[in-house]
Amino acid sequence: MKRKLIAAIGIAGMVFSVAACGSDGGGSGKGADAEELTVWLTVDAQNNWPELVKSADDAVKAKHPGLTIKHEYYGWPDKNAKLDAVLATDKAPDVVEMGNTEMLGYMVKGAFAPLDPARFANSSAWLDGLKQSVTYEGKTYGVPYYAGGRVANWRKDVFASVGVKTTPKTYQELLSDLDKVQKAKGDTFSAWYQPSRDWYAAMSFVYDAGGAIAEEEGGRWKATLSSPESLEGLEAYKEILDRYMHGDKTKDEADRPIVYGQGKSGMIFAAAWEGATAADPKNDKVGKLADKIENFVMPGPSGKNMPVFLGGSDLAVPVKSTAQDLAAEWIDAFTGPSGQKVLAAKGNLPNNTTDLAALKKDPKTAVPATAAESSWFVPTAPGWGQVEKAQVLQTMLQSIATGKKSVEAAAKEADAAIDKVINTK
């Protein structure tokens, strides 16, 4: 599940006294005897797994008789504004849920207390993309909660009509299958509907080729989209757009499930939930689309599974919390092995490879679980929020898709724009 990074998150003007208020989160005793704990979660937890919230509460209360645990729930659109306002006061909550791409800006500004990962179950096996989302300058500032990955989804009926009966195991097989569909359906049909501005998909090609958006060296970040490896990935992405994407090449992915449900495309590479959303009766213009679609692990040009961006949520402890130890205890009870089982049963991916292994053995969850094993994350650089706010990647990709600029020229221009801000706090 994608959470847009809030670049100008409103905390720049806040005063965080990290030295005075901070804790190492590693059993320092800060707030271990507190009588009250306040936990902020999104409505996802309230609506979909309230039993897990109660279970975590009960586990912590059993160790701390008399403890009161208060919960507040909020929607994603207004969450950050509410959090920014309260973090400027002395009434900070003790646990807050964050979209994983939202973490960075808060970590850079010192809003969250560092945590000792050894306190949390399976921390050594956290999924790479999630671990990166809670790590800044070598310290851990949050705990991965759950994940949502990306998979390929195609129309079985469309591919069967050209003699393709099984999902591809290699990238070349996939291209061959797509070529058959494109030839049969003509240029008014997109064998692969891939909005050009979808940088999550495009960067998967870049990382598959051994490239990166930016790399750190000597404490400084430098954009690397024009490196030979990154250019190879971008060229592969452009090939897909040129051969199979016959829709509007200036679009982003916001309405992709709706477009897919209209029946003029054969495949998407998207968040795992998007196929089901396309098949929802209000979006399904094909008829019984749910019976005609199938997820599979996206093969990459490298010969390995395509690395995917992992969306999801993290839990953090505000640096102004007066109950940091209890907050860490609650997070561990909530995100531990029993909690991960509950979340997986609700259709989420667990936060670690140990629990992911069990899902790989279940046919119902094998595809997203397998895809999540290979992942990437945005550069954890202090100025990354400014890069996203300026939509540097989207602009580059649209220029490439429309032919306004060559791949190399567009990548060099993007690198220059990124380098101007990526090291700026």
Side-chain angles (χ1 to χ4, degrees):
M1 65 176 57
K2 183 182 72 174
R3 310 293 189 206
K4 292 184 180 291
L5 179 65
I6 308 300
I9 53 179
I11 60 175
M14 297 181 188
V15 179
F16 294 113
S17 180
V18 179
C21 301
S23 164
D24 65 3
S28 65
K30 178 153 187 173
D33 298 322
E35 297 179 353
E36 185 175 288
L37 190 70
T38 301
V39 178
W40 282 18
L41 299 171
T42 68
V43 292
D44 297 339
Q46 183 181 34
N47 296 334
N48 299 317
W49 41 88
E51 69 276 23
L52 175 54
V53 177
K54 183 178 184 304
S55 176
D57 287 355
D58 291 345
V60 176
K61 286 179 179 179
K63 295 180 181 179
H64 303 275
L67 176 68
T68 298
I69 301 180
K70 296 182 177 180
H71 293 279
E72 290 192 36
Y73 297 94
Y74 43 72
W76 285 104
D78 60 351
K79 174 184 70 67
N80 283 18
K82 181 178 180 181
L83 179 60
D84 294 347
V86 77
L87 288 180
T89 74
D90 293 324
K91 303 293 184 182
D94 304 299
V95 177
V96 294
E97 177 181 350
M98 304 292 297
N100 64 346
T101 59
E102 297 172 344
M103 283 288 295
L104 181 57
Y106 288 83
M107 294 190 295
V108 168
K109 296 297 183 182
F112 298 142
L115 301 171
D116 179 2
R119 295 190 64 171
F120 305 98
N122 287 320
S123 60
S124 62
W126 284 343
L127 299 176
D128 289 343
L130 298 184
K131 182 178 180 179
Q132 292 177 57
S133 76
V134 298
T135 305
Y136 181 65
E137 293 187 339
K139 292 185 178 181
T140 300
Y141 290 94
V143 176
Y145 171 8
Y146 66 89
R150 281 164 170 73
V151 298
N153 180 291
W154 76 2
R155 293 264 308 273
K156 292 184 292 183
D157 58 325
V158 170
F159 283 84
S161 70
V162 294
V164 178
K165 302 295 180 64
T166 59
T167 55
K169 299 298 184 288
T170 70
Y171 190 69
Q172 290 306 315
E173 283 182 35
L174 173 61
L175 296 186
S176 175
D177 295 343
L178 288 165
D179 284 342
K180 293 174 184 176
V181 168
Q182 197 62 67
K183 182 178 179 180
K185 293 289 187 178
D187 290 345
T188 60
F189 188 88
S190 294
W192 177 344
Y193 179 74
Q194 180 54 57
S196 69
R197 292 172 65 88
D198 176 13
W199 63 275
Y200 295 99
M203 293 304 105
S204 286
F205 279 85
V206 167
Y207 282 90
D208 179 71
I213 299 171
E215 294 182 345
E216 185 182 18
E217 184 176 347
R220 298 280 295 176
W221 286 84
K222 182 164 181 59
T224 54
L225 289 168
S226 58
S227 71
E229 295 83 2
S230 295
L231 289 176
E232 180 182 341
L234 290 171
E235 289 284 3
Y237 184 67
K238 182 179 187 302
E239 180 184 19
I240 293 301
L241 299 176
D242 290 346
R243 287 168 67 168
Y244 309 121
M245 172 59 179
H246 296 285
D248 183 350
K249 291 188 178 179
T250 67
K251 285 179 63 66
D252 65 18
E253 70 278 16
D255 64 349
R256 177 167 46 206
I258 296 173
V259 174
Y260 191 38
Q262 291 172 350
K264 295 183 179 180
S265 51
M267 171 186 151
I268 56 175
F269 174 43
W273 52 264
E274 292 190 44
T277 300
D280 186 292
K282 67 176 179 290
N283 298 324
D284 179 8
K285 307 304 180 184
V286 176
K288 298 183 179 179
L289 183 58
D291 298 329
K292 299 172 182 176
I293 56 176
E294 180 179 19
N295 283 334
F296 60 94
V297 178
M298 180 70 186
S302 68
K304 300 178 181 179
N305 291 342
M306 185 79 86
V308 298
F309 177 84
L310 289 181
S313 282
D314 300 323
L315 297 172
V317 179
V319 74
K320 287 189 175 182
S321 164
T322 58
Q324 291 179 18
D325 275 8
L326 279 177
E329 240 182 90
W330 190 91
I331 291 173
D332 186 47
F334 190 67
T335 62
S338 59
Q340 293 301 313
K341 288 182 180 178
V342 173
L343 292 167
K346 301 290 185 176
N348 302 293
L349 291 175
N351 66 5
N352 66 89
T353 57
T354 302
D355 291 321
L356 197 68
L359 299 187
K360 287 176 61 181
K361 298 176 183 178
D362 184 340
K364 295 180 181 178
T365 54
V367 169
T370 300
E373 286 188 306
S374 178
S375 60
W376 62 272
F377 196 65
V378 299
T380 52
W384 177 250
Q386 297 181 58
V387 176
E388 281 213 41
K389 183 181 180 182
Q391 298 194 354
V392 175
L393 297 180
Q394 293 95 320
T395 299
M396 173 190 71
L397 295 171
Q398 183 172 322
S399 293
I400 290 171
T402 58
K404 182 179 179 181
K405 289 184 174 68
S406 69
V407 170
E408 185 174 2
K412 286 182 176 179
E413 184 176 275
D415 277 351
I418 291 171
D419 285 339
K420 286 181 180 179
V421 298
I422 196 167
N423 291 294
T424 305
K425 289 188 177 182

